[in-house]
Structures are given as C-alpha cells and as structure tokens.
Amino acid sequence: MNATFGAFLAAGLGMGLAAAGTGIGVSILAAKALEGMARQPEASNTIRTSMILAIAFVEAIALYALVVCLILATKV
Amino acid sequence: MNVIEHLSQKIVCPLQFGGIDLSITNGVIAMWLAVLLVTVFFWLVSRQLRPVPGKMQNLAEVLVLFIRDEIGGQLGDTRDRWLPFLAAIFTFILACNLLGLVPGVASATANINTTAALALIVFFVVQVVGVREHGFFPYLKSFIPEGVPLPIAVFMVPIELISTLAKPFSLAMRLFANMFAGHAVMFLILSMIVLFHSWLVVPLPVVGDTVFLAFELFIAFIQAFVFTYLSALYIATAQEGH
C-alpha cells in the first residue's frame, strides 16, 4: 500500500467516475435535443448545432479529469 | 513505450536567443505546414473568382460563409470586421488538428503550449475590445455586479475575476485535452499488439484504430468550431456591454 498503488487506483477511479457523469450529461442533452427536433422539425439545424456545442462543453469537463488521471498514472 | 513520451515534441534544430529557448520542434514544423496549406489553398482559390463557382471556390465559399454567419452571427453588424480573425483561428486549428492525424506529422494542438498561446491571443483581444468599447474605468467597474449590497459585492469581485480568467483557461484545456486524449487512445489501442506479443491479435487493434480515426476526424472539426464559436461569443459579450 504505497504511493504508486494509490496513484494508479486514483487514476482509474477518477476517470471512471468522470466518464459516468459525462455519460449521464450527454444522454440528457441528446434526449432533450431529440425531443425538441421531434416537436419542431424545421428547427432541426439550429437544435443540432446547439446540441453539438453543448456536448463539447460537457466533454471538456471529462477531459479535465482525464488530464489529471494521466498525470497520476504516469508520474508516480 | 510511454504515451506522454510518444506525444512529446522532439527538437529538430536547437536555437537559443539570449537565454530563451526557441528551438524548432516537429510541432513547429507541423504548424508551419498547416499555415502553408491554408494560405496556398485560399490564395489559389482567390486567383480566379468566377460568378458560378467551381469546386474549390465552392468549398472555400461554404467555409467562409459558415464562419461569417453561424459563428460570427452573434457579433451582429460587426461580423465582416471580425471575419479575418475568426477565419484565421478556425482554419489554423482545423488544419493543425487534421494534420496531426496524419501518421508521422506531429500534432501541434495536442500540446498545451500551442493551445495556450491561441487562448491567450483570444483573451487579450477580448480585454482590449472591452476597454476600447466602454473605456477603462467602466471596464474595471464591470467586475462589480449591479444592484448588489456592498458586502456581497466585495465577495463577488474575486469570483468575477476568476471567471474571467477561467474562460481562456477552459478554451486552451478543451482543445488540448480533446486532441491529446484522441492521440493517446489511438496509441494505446495499437499498443495492444505489443502487449500481446502475437501476430494473431493484429487485425482487431488495426480495425478498431481505423474506426476511431473516423471519430477523431469528426472531433477535429467540432473542436475547431467550438473554439472559434466561444471566441466569437466572448468578443460579442465584450462588445455589447457586460
């Protein structure tokens, strides 16, 4: 039970939790976007652009976690 | 075989200018290549502009009009003034992202230095626009929220400052992390071949990597779009008043 063990465990666990949160977030986004497109097909293009923009925001947060986990997994 | 070592840039030509390290790395060469490609493409297209566009001119028109209308649409009447800046950011990031996917060419945007430089440029442009539009003291006063009692206002100023600094930081991190993570995952998928030490394993990582490459192409376009869209958003917010 030394620092390397803790670092590897933290890297895996951290990234897994971040991925779980991102999965839920993007799913909610996509569900609402599809709902909107079904209600008003003429606005599909606008909705699609905004959805892709919002997905990029949510993914960025997961990638902050990824960078921290990569530092943990390779430094120690 | 380490992921971070694989994605670090290698110095091609060491150069020192009075203590500052300005060595030419393969990332610098990739950026030069990206700028060269974009410049040559648009220059060749603009040499013979026809009223009924041919294929290359059509592509260039679609690109420029997309940047001016979809991304610059938030800027209102000043879209045409900001078009060169936004188009430069968009095409540079797109070219760097796509070139990074070519085997052998270094990925310039998978390096925090490149993306941080781009984010710093956008940050300075936004602050200068804010000061120029409204004056220096109104700009400083914009950090104090409106209609809020004094104790809470004193508390809010650091939060506003942090939020102003967080925007370029998130711009840089988003682009860097997306590109770095993409390349790291491709490297790790292929390293399965080395891990299993067998020829039988080869088709699976190769096919998986090819499929992932298609996803990475999509992400390259999306990240260029998101960076440029957010830059236009910050500029528009600074222009019209906080």
Side-chain angles (χ1 to χ4, degrees), chain B residues 36-57:
Chain B
L36 192 68
L37 281 175
V38 168
T39 313
V40 164
F41 172 68
F42 279 107
W43 180 71
L44 282 178
V45 160
S46 69
R47 270 201 321 174
Q48 314 168 332
L49 288 174
R50 275 173 271 160
V52 177
K55 281 183 292 195
M56 284 296 130
Q57 184 182 337

Side-chain angles (χ1 to χ4, degrees), chain A residues 49 52-53 56-57 59-60 63-64 66-67 70-71 74, chain B residues 2 4 170 173-174 177-178 180-181 222 225-226 229-230:
Chain A
T49 307
I52 292 187
L53 198 64
F57 277 124
E59 299 257 339
L63 287 169
Y64 298 161
L66 175 70
V67 171
L70 276 175
I71 295 177
T74 57
Chain B
N2 192 356
I4 296 195
S170 77
M173 279 300 289
R174 185 180 297 113
N178 266 291
F180 184 82
I222 296 294
F225 167 68
V226 168
Y229 186 87
L230 285 173

Side-chain angles (χ1 to χ4, degrees), chain B:
Chain B
M1 263 211 227
N2 192 356
V3 177
I4 296 195
E5 261 174 42
H6 172 76
L7 287 174
S8 315
Q9 297 183 354
K10 299 160 191 55
I11 297 185
V12 161
C13 165
L15 275 178
Q16 287 267 351
F17 272 119
I20 306 180
D21 186 11
L22 286 178
S23 311
I24 311 289
T25 73
N26 49 3
V28 173
I29 294 182
M31 280 192 272
W32 285 347
L33 195 56
V35 169
L36 192 68
L37 281 175
V38 168
T39 313
V40 164
F41 172 68
F42 279 107
W43 180 71
L44 282 178
V45 160
S46 69
R47 270 201 321 174
Q48 314 168 332
L49 288 174
R50 275 173 271 160
V52 177
K55 281 183 292 195
M56 284 296 130
Q57 184 182 337
N58 212 356
L59 178 64
E61 276 183 16
V62 163
L63 194 61
V64 171
L65 284 178
F66 175 76
I67 298 173
R68 194 190 70 163
D69 295 332
E70 296 285 328
I71 299 179
Q74 322 161 64
L75 289 164
D77 291 324
T78 54
R79 311 186 284 195
D80 289 318
R81 236 182 50 190
W82 284 109
L83 179 61
F85 179 63
L86 294 176
I89 294 184
F90 183 82
T91 51
F92 176 68
I93 296 180
L94 184 62
C96 278
N97 290 351
L98 290 177
L99 272 180
L101 291 172
V102 172
V105 183
S107 183
T109 34
N111 192 327
I112 188 67
N113 301 299
T114 312
T115 58
L118 287 165
L120 270 178
I121 292 174
V122 170
F123 174 66
F124 280 122
V125 164
V126 168
Q127 304 309 316
V128 165
V129 162
V131 167
R132 215 173 47 172
E133 283 290 313
H134 305 288
F136 188 61
F137 284 110
Y139 166 75
L140 285 182
K141 281 224 311 224
S142 75
F143 286 104
I144 308 172
E146 287 293 313
V148 154
L150 188 57
I152 304 186
V154 168
F155 186 51
M156 285 291 290
V157 171
I159 296 186
E160 285 281 325
L161 272 174
I162 292 179
S163 117
T164 309
L165 290 177
K167 288 182 194 161
F169 177 74
S170 77
L171 274 181
M173 279 300 289
R174 185 180 297 113
L175 181 58
F176 160 66
N178 266 291
M179 291 298 118
F180 184 82
H183 285 275
V185 169
M186 288 179 74
F187 179 78
L188 287 171
I189 291 180
L190 276 183
S191 73
M192 277 208 300
I193 302 179
V194 175
L195 217 59
F196 283 109
H197 265 301
S198 145
W199 282 107
L200 294 174
V201 188
V202 166
L204 188 56
V206 168
V207 168
D209 229 19
T210 312
V211 170
F212 194 73
L213 179 68
F215 179 65
E216 276 299 301
L217 280 172
F218 176 65
I219 292 288
F221 280 93
I222 296 294
Q223 288 307 315
F225 167 68
V226 168
F227 193 103
T228 318
Y229 186 87
L230 285 173
S231 310
L233 181 65
Y234 299 153
I235 294 175
T237 314
Q239 260 186 344
E240 74 186 38
H242 320 273

Side-chain angles (χ1 to χ4, degrees), chain A residues 1 8-9 17-18 21 23 25-27 29 32-33 35-38 41 44 56 58-59 70-71:
Chain A
M1 186 73 168
F8 284 138
L9 182 65
L17 287 172
V26 171
S27 304
L29 249 180
K32 291 292 181 181
E35 204 178 312
M37 287 197 237
S44 271
V58 175
E59 299 257 339
L70 276 175
I71 295 177

